Amino acid sequence: MARPTISQKEATCDTRILVVDDEDTLCDTLRFNLELEGYCVDTAYSAEEALAMDLSSYSLILLDVMMGEISGFQMARIIKKNPALADIPVIFCTAKDTEDDMVDGLNLGADDYIAKPYSIRNIIARVKSVLRRSQPRHAHPTSSDRIVFEGLTVDKSLKRCMVDDTEVKLPRKEFEMLCLMLENPGKIFSREDFLKRIWPEEIIVVDRVVDVNITRLRSKLGRYGKMIVTRSGYGYGWQT
């Protein structure tokens, strides 16, 4: 039976995944279960077949390592060296399960490495996690009360900050500073700007309090803390 191609699938699908593995049954099983999650999925039974496809149309590639003349590692090198494809996330799914194999795969630029045998539930969870991290790097409001930047979500109505599904407790001033920067990505706010907007009711507040709160925010936001940039002599802002 012929496998469906991109043109045969719904053109409106937002997330396309390519599964590359020389085991037919495994390819079909992954495709079936990923499609149940709402993804559009294509399969290729070798790296050669995959490289002949329009890889730029995919949001993620699930890639075996041990295949034919071109291995999964070799295919990953080809993808990562191509500027038009380098940003496509790659997850290795392979029986090569030593620590050295995993390190080699991650050093090639893979976003995750899953050793066989694995559960479909684990694959789906890893796929969702990588896709969430690989979303366009800019903050955007999803409603009047929620702001999302990759795995960082700020809910203004609930006064809650979530970092990769874990709630981070922020005092009021830190929370308001974060909201202000997320709502204005790319804009640099001076210390005076912060004081006027975040501490308007205070009679006397020194500039240093802004620096202290920024430092605390960076440490609490984990990997997202680096998105708060400093422009010497000007102030702070959220990097776009």
Side-chain angles (χ1 to χ4, degrees), residues 26-42:
L26 183 57
C27 280
D28 292 340
T29 299
L30 287 174
R31 181 176 65 191
F32 174 78
N33 284 277
L34 288 168
E35 287 180 341
L36 287 180
E37 296 295 319
Y39 303 118
C40 289
V41 184
D42 288 308

Side-chain angles (χ1 to χ4, degrees), residues 2-5 9 17-21 23-24 26-32 34-35 40-46 49-50 53 58 62:
R3 299 192 305 279
T5 62
K9 295 187 175 183
I17 297 174
L18 176 63
V19 179
V20 187
D21 198 301
E23 296 184 38
D24 296 12
L26 183 57
C27 280
D28 292 340
T29 299
L30 287 174
R31 181 176 65 191
F32 174 78
L34 288 168
E35 287 180 341
C40 289
V41 184
D42 288 308
T43 58
Y45 298 153
S46 68
E49 180 181 353
M53 302 168 73
Y58 294 102
L62 285 170

Side-chain angles (χ1 to χ4, degrees), residues 105-125:
L106 295 175
N107 283 340
L108 284 172
D111 295 79
D112 206 342
Y113 192 105
I114 308 172
K116 298 177 182 177
Y118 46 71
S119 69
I120 294 299
R121 184 179 180 184
N122 183 28
I123 288 285
I124 292 173

Side-chain angles (χ1 to χ4, degrees), residues 59-97:
S59 305
L60 174 71
I61 298 174
L62 285 170
L63 183 58
D64 187 22
V65 173
M66 296 182 289
M67 298 182 295
E69 294 185 8
I70 300 179
S71 71
F73 283 169
Q74 290 173 310
M75 178 175 169
R77 290 191 187 96
I78 293 171
I79 291 173
K80 295 304 179 181
K81 287 181 180 179
N82 186 336
L85 305 176
D87 290 336
I88 300 174
V90 172
I91 299 178
F92 283 118
C93 301
T94 175
K96 291 177 69 65
D97 59 356

Side-chain angles (χ1 to χ4, degrees), residues 22 46 55 59 91 97 110 134 136-138 141 146 149 166 175 178 204 228:
D22 57 4
S46 68
L55 297 181
S59 305
I91 299 178
D97 59 356
S134 65
R137 298 180 64 79
H138 58 80
R146 294 182 70 243
F149 176 85
T166 299
F175 185 86
L178 178 59
I204 299 177
I228 300 176

Side-chain angles (χ1 to χ4, degrees), residues 13-234:
C13 186
D14 293 327
T15 304
R16 296 184 180 279
I17 297 174
L18 176 63
V19 179
V20 187
D21 198 301
D22 57 4
E23 296 184 38
D24 296 12
T25 301
L26 183 57
C27 280
D28 292 340
T29 299
L30 287 174
R31 181 176 65 191
F32 174 78
N33 284 277
L34 288 168
E35 287 180 341
L36 287 180
E37 296 295 319
Y39 303 118
C40 289
V41 184
D42 288 308
T43 58
Y45 298 153
S46 68
E48 291 87 342
E49 180 181 353
L51 290 169
M53 302 168 73
D54 179 14
L55 297 181
S56 64
S57 65
Y58 294 102
S59 305
L60 174 71
I61 298 174
L62 285 170
L63 183 58
D64 187 22
V65 173
M66 296 182 289
M67 298 182 295
E69 294 185 8
I70 300 179
S71 71
F73 283 169
Q74 290 173 310
M75 178 175 169
R77 290 191 187 96
I78 293 171
I79 291 173
K80 295 304 179 181
K81 287 181 180 179
N82 186 336
L85 305 176
D87 290 336
I88 300 174
V90 172
I91 299 178
F92 283 118
C93 301
T94 175
K96 291 177 69 65
D97 59 356
T98 69
E99 183 177 353
D100 287 343
D101 292 327
M102 183 177 298
V103 170
D104 288 343
L106 295 175
N107 283 340
L108 284 172
D111 295 79
D112 206 342
Y113 192 105
I114 308 172
K116 298 177 182 177
Y118 46 71
S119 69
I120 294 299
R121 184 179 180 184
N122 183 28
I123 288 285
I124 292 173
R126 301 286 191 96
V127 164
K128 289 181 177 179
S129 177
V130 169
L131 286 172
R132 183 169 60 246
R133 296 199 305 264
S134 65
Q135 293 304 305
R137 298 180 64 79
H138 58 80
H140 58 281
T142 57
S143 70
S144 59
D145 291 321
R146 294 182 70 243
I147 309 170
V148 176
F149 176 85
E150 298 182 4
L152 170 65
T153 301
V154 174
D155 192 313
K156 295 173 65 178
S157 63
L158 298 176
K159 310 302 180 188
R160 183 169 64 183
C161 175
M162 303 291 293
V163 176
D164 294 330
D165 299 323
T166 299
E167 183 171 1
V168 175
K169 301 293 185 181
L170 297 179
R172 176 184 170 187
K173 299 303 184 183
E174 291 177 18
F175 185 86
E176 292 178 353
M177 291 177 71
L178 178 59
C179 288
L180 179 61
M181 290 186 288
L182 283 173
E183 289 175 324
N184 298 274
K187 180 175 180 179
I188 299 299
F189 293 93
S190 67
R191 293 181 179 85
E192 184 178 354
D193 291 332
F194 280 117
L195 293 176
K196 287 181 179 179
R197 293 171 181 249
I198 310 300
W199 285 268
E201 74 282 2
E202 305 292 340
I203 298 176
I204 299 177
V205 180
V206 297
D207 289 354
R208 178 62 179 163
V209 74
V210 174
D211 303 333
V212 170
N213 278 272
I214 288 291
T215 299
R216 289 174 178 169
L217 264 178
R218 282 177 172 150
S219 65
K220 292 178 181 179
L221 296 180
R223 62 192 180 98
Y224 301 108
K226 65 183 179 182
M227 305 310 298
I228 300 176
V229 297
T230 302
R231 294 291 179 260
S232 183
Y234 295 94

